[in-house]
Amino acid sequence: LERDAIFRKQHNIHVSGYNVPSPLQSFDELKSRYRCPSYLLRNLKELGFREPTPIQRQTIPVLLDGRECFACAPTGSGKTLAFVCPMLMKLKDPEKGGIRAVILCHTRELSAQIFRECKKLAKRKKFGIKLMTKSLLRNADFSKFPCDILISTPLRLRLAIKKKKIDLSRVEYLVLDESDKLFEPELFKQIASVLKACSNPSIIRSLFSATLPDFVEDRARELMHDAVRVIVGRKNM
Ligand code: ADP
Ligand code: MG
């Protein structure tokens, strides 16, 4: 659509892929277009988020439409909300049947930060959101405690998989945050075992990062089907 093209240009959003959904004009559109539950709209308001950032405007509708995507936008541009918001909407309600969403990131600090952001956005909704800490890895019986969303580094998650402590076969959403870091050769081996353990054929994968070097784009294309590519600003800032 002509209107979408103009709007994307105004916000410096570049897309490729077929049938890319229209970018969000506002957070209110989450309600009118996607029946966003009121707890989430309220949390966005309370956090003081008035307008979606460019990356949020485009990747939220892409993920809500069930498309895979790889996205690149500068540091500080709100990528966490861009994947957590559609994830919460897609998960709808807490369940007890196993892990349904996994967010991978390359450092423990970053995973703790994403964990906190997830909790804030999910406030008033009793989702099981877990951070894979050392003690959790050592002690938890993952089959016995409710966990909708798990946030981990690849190293710890791979350990849990190796020890057969965790079942990822029900995972519907997998996010690789800072994927340029995750796809560095040493980490990629660990990622590979996570990808294998997430065996649900209808899984939706997404990649987010601040830069999109060619090797990340190559991996993304190998990994995903009909993915939408979203770039805000320039590819290698
Ligand atoms: P990135 O992952 O792209 O580096 P973050 O997800 O860490 O960025 O977000 C950076 C900051 O912007 C955070 O403090 C976050 O709470 C805030 N933020 C996210 N989305 C919005 C928004 N729509 N409006 C205002 N602030 C936002
Ligand atoms: Mg980030």
Side-chain angles (χ1 to χ4, degrees):
L1 258 84
E2 181 70 17
R3 193 187 79 140
D4 289 349
I6 293 167
F7 188 79
R8 286 189 187 110
K9 204 165 177 187
Q10 284 168 346
H11 292 275
N12 209 356
I13 302 168
H14 309 275
V15 294
S16 45
Y18 91 104
N19 257 342
V20 181
S22 303
L24 288 178
Q25 308 275 326
S26 67
F27 281 130
D28 288 337
E29 231 183 278
L30 283 178
K31 195 182 170 98
S32 52
R33 249 169 91 185
Y34 295 102
R35 302 175 180 206
C36 182
S38 51
Y39 83 87
L40 187 52
L41 293 167
R42 189 170 161 193
N43 291 343
L44 290 172
K45 275 224 175 73
E46 283 188 8
L47 287 165
F49 299 173
R50 287 159 204 273
E51 292 270 339
T53 64
I55 193 67
Q56 293 163 2
R57 289 183 193 277
Q58 188 59 71
T59 55
I60 292 174
V62 166
L63 291 168
L64 287 174
D65 277 7
R67 299 283 298 277
E68 299 201 309
C69 79
F70 53 112
C72 172
T75 303
S77 64
K79 292 189 286 293
T80 316
L81 177 68
F83 56 78
V84 174
C85 169
M87 179 181 283
L88 293 173
M89 287 172 69
K90 285 285 200 177
L91 294 176
K92 278 202 181 103
D93 291 301
E95 282 183 17
K96 293 210 162 73
I99 298 163
R100 291 188 291 155
V102 170
I103 303 169
L104 279 183
C105 40
H106 71 295
T107 66
R108 279 172 271 166
E109 292 72 24
L110 184 59
S111 57
Q113 194 182 318
I114 294 174
F115 173 71
R116 288 192 297 270
E117 184 112 358
C118 260
K119 296 287 263 189
K120 283 189 216 161
L121 288 164
K123 200 174 143 191
R124 298 183 179 88
K125 191 86 180 163
K126 293 197 163 42
F127 280 115
I129 303 173
K130 303 286 175 200
L131 178 64
M132 181 72 98
T133 58
K134 219 174 179 173
S135 77
L136 190 68
L137 181 60
R138 202 177 303 129
N139 304 317
D141 181 352
F142 283 89
S143 62
K144 291 221 174 81
F145 78 146
C147 177
D148 298 288
I149 302 174
L150 179 68
I151 301 145
S152 180
T153 60
L155 184 67
R156 285 183 171 170
L157 193 51
R158 191 181 74 143
L159 270 172
I161 294 166
K162 262 179 103 174
K163 293 180 176 169
K164 304 220 182 338
K165 275 181 159 255
I166 201 164
D167 176 10
L168 298 179
S169 64
R170 266 202 76 194
V171 173
E172 298 160 56
Y173 304 99
L174 175 65
V175 177
L176 307 184
D177 193 22
E178 304 281 4
S179 45
D180 49 352
K181 304 282 183 354
L182 290 175
F183 286 174
E184 297 280 347
E186 327 80 79
L187 274 182
F188 192 73
K189 281 183 226 143
Q190 291 152 18
I191 304 286
S193 70
V194 175
L195 291 172
K196 200 172 147 209
C198 294
S199 55
N200 182 345
S202 51
I203 191 167
I204 307 286
R205 300 177 181 124
S206 56
L207 271 65
F208 284 79
S209 69
T211 67
L212 193 58
D214 290 339
F215 74 95
V216 174
E217 219 170 306
D218 294 344
R219 294 258 198 242
R221 289 188 197 285
E222 274 166 35
L223 218 65
M224 302 192 289
H225 350 270
D226 294 336
V228 178
R229 176 178 182 263
V230 180
I231 292 175
V232 171
R234 281 180 300 123
K235 189 169 127 148
N236 292 315
M237 280 202 296

